[in-house]
Amino acid sequence: MKKLLLLFILTIFILCTVQSCNTGQQKNEADSANFLEENVTFAAAQYALLLDKVEDSARIVNPKSFIDGKMKYIPPQEWTSGFFPGSLWYLYELTGEDQWKPMAVKYTESLDTIQYYTGNHDVGFMIYCSYGNGLRLTGNEAYKDVIINAAKSLSTRYIPEAGIIQSWNANPSKDWECPVIIDNMMNLELMFEATKLSGDSSFYHIAVTHADNTIKNHYRPDYSTWHVIDYSKSDGSIRHRNTHQGYSDESAWARGQSWGVYGYIVCYRETKDQKYLDQAEKALNFIAYHPNYPEDGVPYWDYNSPDIPNTYRDASAGSILASALYELSAYSDKMDYKAWADKIVASLAGTAYRAPLGDNGDFLLMHSVGSLPHHSEVDVPLNYADYYFLEALKRKKDLE
Ligand code: GLY
């Protein structure tokens, strides 16, 4: 009898525990679904206002920021031109509403000439965020050619002696012969895609050679990264290690750290080469354990700014990092990368960073930094902070 009673109590205990676990899990899922829905609803409403403004113009304009009460529009050749069309694609995907599609198509196709642009390395950003998302969501055959042409244009900047894609043209005033910036890791996704679309492995080869040399030359022993490495075009040796947008040559510019992490996660996705995953995780350790990495997960503009905590955050460095972490969470459980990404996204979605509806020039996030040393775009909205925030929301939704 006693045994039966014990068994009965044990069964009730197990059933209650399972039930409360289920209820807890259901509550978490519901909270997360509400969080996503609220953010997507807000983003759609805010970008509808932005789109109204943009569409009001007599010609096609491309919004980058809102500074001192004025909209900043940019031409197709500016490095951020792919982000506004890319955000429209993410809104089309996240809302499931058809009205976004013609707008995404219109602003994507306004970048038509960029597939032939060879003036700098940014063709990857410009074409892949716009046409790349367009291809993924519509399968439009014509977009394949654009991506292949853009990869050909980017390939013209490949310098075999150094095994890298040259980012910017030579700059005699800085004594730069062949400057390569860590941001360039973000252009490799276009190259991988172009090989898949065309069967031409030269794009893939350039991408992995660039990634390998960036591991070798751009990263410090603590796995932070320099911003600019200037190579010799004749023998590939390193001429300078500098910064352009960071606090100093030896500091860790926050967005650069995020670009590097994101880029190596893409390289791992496309090659399954363990060394790229290792590189991303080591670079993430630098961030995770850095004494200046703030509790809310949104970095200061440079990890080594002497003014921390009385200096600017860079929401863009946070949204890029969050999006990368969501992808990484599917490849590795060395850390709870998803929880880390969730923390950043929750911060960005809070009142400290997310703008009120109709405010902030109708961009989503406040408080990004373009280039503090140049006093340019400091503590303002930036179209790429929004783009990676939307991408992070999409990746979070996919994971859940
Ligand atoms: N790729 C330029 C920047 O991150 O500011």
Side-chain angles (χ1 to χ4, degrees):
M1 187 65 190
K2 247 187 183 172
K3 264 190 190 161
L4 260 179
L5 190 66
L6 248 169
L7 195 65
F8 178 71
I9 291 170
L10 194 66
T11 312
I12 295 289
F13 175 76
I14 290 169
L15 282 176
C16 286
T17 311
V18 169
Q19 175 65 24
S20 95
C21 272
N22 280 346
T23 319
Q25 194 183 335
Q26 279 160 3
K27 187 180 170 320
N28 285 346
E29 280 168 13
D31 285 351
S32 189
N34 288 342
F35 175 85
L36 282 168
E37 195 181 316
E38 195 276 330
N39 273 285
V40 171
T41 304
F42 165 77
Q46 187 81 327
Y47 263 51
L49 295 174
L50 179 57
L51 207 42
D52 274 351
K53 248 181 224 158
V54 167
E55 284 279 286
D56 242 3
S57 172
R59 58 197 172 87
I60 296 186
V61 290
N62 191 324
K64 177 180 188 183
S65 184
F66 184 71
I67 303 172
D68 296 333
K70 273 181 67 184
M71 286 298 288
K72 179 170 181 174
Y73 293 113
I74 40 129
Q77 313 82 276
E78 210 264 5
W79 78 275
T80 66
S81 63
F83 294 120
F84 178 63
S87 291
L88 299 178
W89 284 119
Y90 278 131
L91 285 168
Y92 170 53
E93 187 172 17
L94 281 161
T95 60
E97 290 164 5
D98 285 342
Q99 80 221 33
W100 295 99
K101 188 175 169 188
M103 291 293 109
V105 168
K106 172 177 166 179
Y107 287 91
T108 291
E109 295 182 1
S110 74
L111 303 182
D112 181 48
T113 55
I114 297 304
Q115 61 191 299
Y116 304 113
Y117 185 69
T118 57
N120 62 38
H121 70 157
D122 290 317
V123 68
F125 277 115
M126 299 189 276
I127 292 295
Y128 204 68
C129 299
S130 52
Y131 284 92
N133 278 307
L135 176 63
R136 185 174 64 77
L137 292 171
T138 67
N140 184 335
E141 285 289 317
Y143 289 6
K144 292 184 181 171
D145 291 337
V146 174
I147 287 169
I148 295 166
N149 286 335
K152 284 183 188 158
S153 300
L154 189 54
S155 302
T156 64
R157 301 188 66 84
Y158 181 66
I159 309 295
E161 292 74 12
I164 46 77
I165 300 166
Q166 181 171 356
S167 295
W168 298 325
N169 296 340
N171 183 340
S173 73
K174 300 224 178 201
D175 191 25
W176 286 343
E177 185 175 309
C178 175
V180 177
I181 58 175
I182 187 65
D183 322 30
N184 205 340
M185 286 299 301
M186 298 296 287
N187 294 309
L188 305 184
E189 196 169 9
L190 171 92
M191 301 295 263
F192 288 120
E193 183 67 21
T195 285
K196 284 188 266 183
L197 295 175
S198 66
D200 178 348
S201 62
S202 69
F203 307 122
Y204 182 101
H205 178 72
I206 289 175
V208 295
T209 310
H210 182 97
D212 292 350
N213 284 312
T214 300
I215 290 180
K216 203 164 86 195
N217 299 326
H218 242 99
Y219 277 86
R220 306 181 178 113
D222 65 359
Y223 292 95
S224 66
T225 162
W226 280 281
H227 186 196
V228 186
I229 300 291
D230 178 38
Y231 290 91
S232 156
K233 270 188 169 170
S234 44
D235 64 9
S237 60
I238 294 174
R239 300 178 73 246
H240 302 104
R241 292 184 169 95
N242 293 135
T243 195
H244 184 61
Q245 283 152 270
Y247 168 70
S248 72
D249 288 345
E250 293 309 314
S251 74
W253 174 54
R255 193 161 56 253
Q257 311 311 303
S258 296
W259 289 143
V261 165
Y262 191 117
Y264 281 105
I265 294 168
V266 169
C267 288
Y268 177 69
R269 180 216 304 152
E270 298 299 333
T271 64
K272 291 289 170 273
D273 187 332
Q274 182 66 30
K275 73 169 174 264
Y276 298 136
L277 187 62
D278 292 346
Q279 187 69 18
E281 296 197 285
K282 285 171 182 164
L284 279 167
N285 282 343
F286 171 83
I287 296 172
Y289 299 112
H290 199 286
N292 288 338
Y293 185 53
E295 196 43 48
D296 70 1
V298 181
Y300 290 95
W301 70 280
D302 189 306
Y303 289 88
N304 301 106
S305 164
D307 298 327
I308 290 172
N310 301 312
T311 191
Y312 304 101
R313 302 297 188 92
D314 179 11
S316 75
S319 63
I320 296 157
L321 182 60
S323 183
L325 286 165
Y326 279 129
E327 174 164 15
L328 179 60
S329 71
Y331 308 144
S332 167
D333 54 10
K334 263 202 189 127
M335 260 191 230
D336 191 345
Y337 294 118
K338 180 170 179 298
W340 184 358
D342 280 345
K343 181 168 84 171
I344 299 173
V345 166
S347 300
L348 293 175
T351 51
Y353 298 97
R354 205 184 80 178
L357 186 67
D359 219 339
N360 200 37
D362 305 323
F363 288 93
L364 306 179
L365 299 182
M366 307 179 283
H367 305 312
S368 288
V369 174
S371 181
L372 197 110
H374 300 94
H375 310 290
S376 169
E377 302 169 349
V378 176
D379 199 23
V380 294
L382 286 168
N383 56 9
Y384 45 98
D386 286 8
Y387 173 87
Y388 290 102
F389 180 63
L390 290 171
E391 185 180 81
L393 293 179
K394 178 227 153 356
R395 289 179 171 184
K396 177 174 168 62
K397 189 175 175 192
D398 287 351
L399 285 169
E400 288 166 5

